Every structure is written in C-alpha cells, then in structure tokens.
Amino acid sequence: AAFSMSTPSFSNPKGCGAKPYEKKNVAILGCGGYLGAMAYGYLQRAGSLYGTGIAGLKSPRSITATAIGSMNLNSVLGKHFVLAQADESFVKLTDMTSCESIATRLQGMDAVIMCTRFGLENRPVTANTYEKTPNDKTKEFYMDKPARSSIAMEDSMEYSHMLVDNTLEACKMVGIQHVVVVETDSQFDRAAEVTASNIDKLNAAGIAYTYVRPQGELKNFRDHTYIKGIQQHMTVSKSDFSANTAGSTQSIYREDLSAMMVQSLISLDWTQSRCLDVHSDGELADNLKTADRPDTQWCMNSAVYGKVLEQLN
C-alpha cells in the first residue's frame, strides 16, 4: 500500500515525535488479543509516515507464545487495516516462562507496550520453536481478549503476574527505554486493586513508564477500520497512583484506547514516568474531526489525543 509522506500535524510532541529522524522500534505483547492487534496496526501505519518517530522496518514486533497469536493478529490487520499484514519477520514466538527467551525477542527494541492482565488459552507449543517434546503445551496470551468470542479463554492472575514480571526483567536485560502499560485487570475482575503493586514493580525495574488506567469497561466499536479513526473524546489526567477513582459509567472503545497508547509514545517524554487515568467523554464532536485524507494520517483524528497528551508533559 502506498502511504503519503506528509508530516502529521503534531503541535509539540516530547516523545519519539520530537526527533522523528531517530526512528524507534516498538514491541507489543499479546497481539493475538484485539487491543494488542489494534495497537500493532496503528504502530505499523505510524511507522510508514514521517513525523511520528516510529520505525517501520524492523518494527512493530509482535510477541506471542504460539502461531495462533500471529493468526489472530493477521485476521485483525486484514479486516481493520485494509489488507495490512505482519509476516514472520515481525512476529516472534516466545517462551514467556523464560526471561532469557523474552530478552532475546526484545533485542533491538526501544519501547514495549503491554497490559497487566492477559486473556489466556491453552495451546500446543508451535513446532520447531521452543518445544522440548512434541506434546508440549503452553498458554497463548491475549491483550486483553481475542476479537473472536468463540475462543475458550481462561483467566489467571498468577500467570499474568508472571508474564509481567518476566517481561520487565527482560526489558531491564536489554535496556528498553520506555514501557507503556495498560491496566486491564478490571476487565476480568471488577474489584481488582492492582495499581499500587504494579507501580511498585515498574519503579523497582527502573524503566521509565506510562501507566494507563482506563476508567470504564472496554468494548469494541462495530465495523471499525483505521479510516474511521478515533470515535471518542477522552479526558486524560495524571493520577496520584491511589486506589481506583469512582468507576466511570462511560465505556471506552478498545480502538480508541489502542490509538491513545501509540499516541503516548509519540507525544510524551520517554525519560519521565507517569500514571494516567483515561475517561471517555462520549462521541468526538464533528468540529474536532480532521478533513485530511486517510493516507496522510496513521489514525484519523489522532491529533485530538496528541493535544490532550501534550498538555501533560
């Protein structure tokens, strides 16, 4: 697909958009999940446009446990990003029980996007990857749930904690500069109070982070494509890391949240850490929508989130 090389209209980015010629490589964990796959698709588009500071040659890199994660990612890319795809060179099948295996897969990356609670599915280890016997089993992990509801999902807080701990250890080993972490526990357990312990882990790892807490249930926007772009206006505020604020009744679209995660890398200073509460303010007003052609934008209307985030630098 041909992409225009025009510079997106950012006001004053402090993230990788501040030095667009220094292209940054980004890895995403759990791309078999719809939220992860949407973030991957947006990163892929951002990497094709000058001005974002996102690399499009070696990245984005998808970290999944088995080939099924890659298949799910490609089905989302083909449908929602109009025939986009991630071939084998961009997808790394990884033994997530091993910090060393994860570190090998993160080599050459600058930033990582992940979540705190993954949907899980028992799968055979893909042949000729890291199996020790032909019948080895593992867990595919999804950020946060697959697009298809037919997949038999399980939830294990312990296994998700292990994924987060091992990934942060691997990030330290290879010198990752910034991690974007979206809190997804409340999508599995509404009463989960995990922010403080997750922030402690991130501080202990010593890697600068953007920790995103969606205040509201996540849902999918029907028949979304990147051309439709952002659907909701969001309020983003710096949080004091305390317990959850009063539960918001407004749902947040996964498509919008994934664009917010990518925009945070472009707009926010990678050397600083912050915890952000994200609320939906309902539908995006027509006067905020861009008249630009879709091929000049990695995500239609993403400049709205750029302005919201840049006020936080």
Side-chain angles (χ1 to χ4, degrees), residues 60-105:
R61 182 172 292 175
S62 164
I63 307 290
T64 65
T66 68
I68 197 78
S70 167
M71 277 172 50
N72 286 343
L73 166 61
N74 275 300
S75 92
V76 170
L77 292 178
K79 181 178 174 189
H80 300 273
F81 290 88
V82 191
L83 304 181
Q85 61 160 347
D87 67 33
E88 286 179 2
S89 64
F90 292 96
V91 178
K92 302 297 180 190
L93 307 189
T94 307
D95 176 3
M96 297 302 293
T97 63
S98 155
C99 297
E100 288 71 23
S101 170
I102 303 168
T104 305
R105 299 317 205 186

Side-chain angles (χ1 to χ4, degrees), residues 58-224:
K58 289 191 213 145
S59 98
R61 182 172 292 175
S62 164
I63 307 290
T64 65
T66 68
I68 197 78
S70 167
M71 277 172 50
N72 286 343
L73 166 61
N74 275 300
S75 92
V76 170
L77 292 178
K79 181 178 174 189
H80 300 273
F81 290 88
V82 191
L83 304 181
Q85 61 160 347
D87 67 33
E88 286 179 2
S89 64
F90 292 96
V91 178
K92 302 297 180 190
L93 307 189
T94 307
D95 176 3
M96 297 302 293
T97 63
S98 155
C99 297
E100 288 71 23
S101 170
I102 303 168
T104 305
R105 299 317 205 186
L106 293 180
Q107 208 81 45
M109 295 293 109
D110 300 300
V112 169
I113 297 178
M114 60 195 286
C115 68
T116 58
R117 186 92 151 246
F118 296 88
L120 305 167
E121 182 192 14
N122 288 316
R123 301 291 311 182
V125 175
T126 304
N128 304 319
T129 55
Y130 52 86
E131 76 278 24
K132 296 185 175 64
T133 74
N135 301 321
D136 277 3
K137 295 276 193 288
T138 187
K139 289 188 192 301
E140 187 53 83
F141 60 105
Y142 299 102
M143 180 201 298
D144 58 316
K145 293 173 181 176
R148 299 197 321 276
S149 55
S150 57
I151 291 176
M153 292 273 298
E154 65 172 277
D155 169 39
S156 162
M157 190 168 74
E158 292 73 23
Y159 199 87
S160 283
H161 283 175
M162 181 271 292
L163 292 174
V164 171
D165 293 346
N166 287 359
T167 301
L168 289 177
E169 186 58 39
C171 287
K172 270 198 318 202
M173 289 161 75
V174 299
I176 293 294
Q177 296 167 28
H178 199 85
V179 289
V180 176
V181 183
V182 60
E183 186 175 291
T184 45
D185 287 78
S186 63
Q187 308 309 313
F188 297 89
D189 171 9
R190 286 188 175 284
E193 289 284 356
V194 294
T195 305
S197 62
N198 285 333
I199 295 295
D200 285 347
K201 280 182 189 180
L202 287 162
N203 287 333
I207 303 163
Y209 58 84
T210 299
Y211 188 88
V212 179
R213 294 201 302 182
Q215 301 290 326
E217 192 180 351
L218 301 185
K219 68 176 187 180
N220 299 351
F221 183 78
R222 191 177 166 82
D223 298 329
H224 188 275

Side-chain angles (χ1 to χ4, degrees), residues 156-305:
S156 162
M157 190 168 74
E158 292 73 23
Y159 199 87
S160 283
H161 283 175
M162 181 271 292
L163 292 174
V164 171
D165 293 346
N166 287 359
T167 301
L168 289 177
E169 186 58 39
C171 287
K172 270 198 318 202
M173 289 161 75
V174 299
I176 293 294
Q177 296 167 28
H178 199 85
V179 289
V180 176
V181 183
V182 60
E183 186 175 291
T184 45
D185 287 78
S186 63
Q187 308 309 313
F188 297 89
D189 171 9
R190 286 188 175 284
E193 289 284 356
V194 294
T195 305
S197 62
N198 285 333
I199 295 295
D200 285 347
K201 280 182 189 180
L202 287 162
N203 287 333
I207 303 163
Y209 58 84
T210 299
Y211 188 88
V212 179
R213 294 201 302 182
Q215 301 290 326
E217 192 180 351
L218 301 185
K219 68 176 187 180
N220 299 351
F221 183 78
R222 191 177 166 82
D223 298 329
H224 188 275
T225 68
Y226 78 89
I227 293 168
K228 292 182 182 174
I230 282 160
Q231 297 296 318
Q232 297 170 303
H233 199 280
M234 301 261 211
T235 298
V236 183
S237 52
K238 280 192 177 171
S239 164
D240 59 0
F241 307 157
S242 63
N244 278 342
T245 57
S248 172
T249 51
Q250 280 270 25
S251 298
I252 293 174
Y253 290 128
R254 286 183 173 88
E255 297 84 356
D256 291 349
L257 182 61
S258 62
M260 178 73 77
M261 287 146 62
V262 174
Q263 186 67 57
S264 75
L265 285 172
I266 297 169
S267 292
L268 296 176
D269 184 345
W270 284 27
T271 65
Q272 303 296 313
S273 294
R274 77 257 321 152
C275 180
L276 303 178
D277 284 333
V278 177
H279 295 262
S280 165
D281 297 328
E283 217 166 304
L284 193 64
D286 284 342
N287 66 332
L288 292 174
K289 293 179 179 172
T290 180
D292 293 340
R293 293 202 330 268
D295 63 347
T296 67
Q297 303 286 308
W298 63 267
C299 168
M300 292 297 276
N301 309 317
S302 58
V304 173
Y305 289 175

